[in-house]
Amino acid sequence: MPTRAHKNRKKRGHVSAGHGRVGKHRKHPGGRNMAGSKHHHRIMLMRYHPGYFGKKGMRVYHLQKNKSFCPSINVDRLWGLLGEEVREKFAGNKSEAPVVDLVKAGYFKVLGKGVLPEQPLIVKAKFFSKRAEQKIKAAGGKCIIVA
C-alpha cells in the first residue's frame, strides 16, 4: 500500500495521533506473554483458565501409558467391522457364524451400548463388559477371550 493511502496521513499534525495524551501509546504496557498472570492479569487467568497454577493429583514416577491402553468398541458397531455382505451371507445360517477378531481391528474391550441384531457372532477380544457379554450370548454368539 502506498504511503498516501495510510490512515496515519490524516493524523499528521495532531500530537498523539489518536492514542490519547494521558495513557500514551507505549510498546507493551501490560507486559509480554504471561507477565502479570499472578498480579494484574490474575482476573483473566482465573476466569478463562481456572486451575492453571498449582499441582493436582499424585505423581507417578515411571508412567507407562501402554499399561492402561485399552481402546474400546460398543456392541452396536461390531457388525459394522464385518460389513453388510457378510451379514447377509450368514443371515439364514444358524450353524455357522462369522468371527470378529477385535485385537486385529485395534480394539481391546467390548462395551454393551446399543442393540445387536438377532444373529450369532463370534467375538474375540481381551475384555468384555458384563452387558456386552449378555447381549452377544443373547443373540446366539460367543465371547472368546484372547491374551
Side-chain angles (χ1 to χ4, degrees), residues 9 25-26 35 56 64 127:
R9 297 308 306 157
H25 186 213
R26 297 276 160 84
K56 183 175 184 287
Q64 294 169 320
F127 309 103

Side-chain angles (χ1 to χ4, degrees), residues 19-125:
H19 288 291
R21 281 177 187 274
V22 180
K24 293 181 193 65
H25 186 213
R26 297 276 160 84
K27 294 275 173 89
H28 300 278
R32 293 183 180 194
N33 304 328
M34 295 293 282
S37 52
K38 288 196 171 177
H39 306 283
H40 55 283
H41 290 155
R42 174 171 254 162
I43 290 171
M44 184 275 291
L45 235 81
M46 292 298 139
R47 178 181 291 168
Y48 299 112
H49 309 284
Y52 180 81
F53 292 114
K55 299 174 183 175
K56 183 175 184 287
M58 219 164 60
R59 274 186 71 187
V60 181
Y61 294 120
H62 184 55
L63 181 65
Q64 294 169 320
K65 290 197 173 174
N66 59 336
K67 295 203 171 154
S68 62
F69 179 77
C70 188
S72 57
I73 187 169
N74 280 310
V75 160
D76 56 1
R77 290 185 53 210
L78 289 177
W79 279 103
L81 292 174
L82 288 172
E84 194 60 35
E85 61 277 349
V86 177
R87 198 170 84 82
E88 288 166 7
K89 181 185 167 191
F90 288 95
N93 198 344
K94 288 285 179 185
S95 60
E96 284 185 313
V99 180
V100 187
D101 195 347
L102 291 179
V103 179
K104 278 185 183 169
Y107 299 101
F108 287 2
K109 186 167 185 173
V110 186
L111 302 175
K113 182 188 168 195
V115 289
L116 197 60
E118 287 298 317
Q119 199 172 333
L121 179 69
I122 297 166
V123 185
K124 289 182 174 182

Side-chain angles (χ1 to χ4, degrees), residues 75 116 118-121 123 128 130-145:
V75 160
L116 197 60
E118 287 298 317
Q119 199 172 333
L121 179 69
V123 185
F128 292 90
K130 279 182 190 171
R131 285 181 66 205
E133 202 168 351
Q134 287 167 1
K135 286 183 182 183
I136 292 166
K137 285 181 179 173
K142 281 212 168 80
C143 300
I144 298 171
I145 294 169

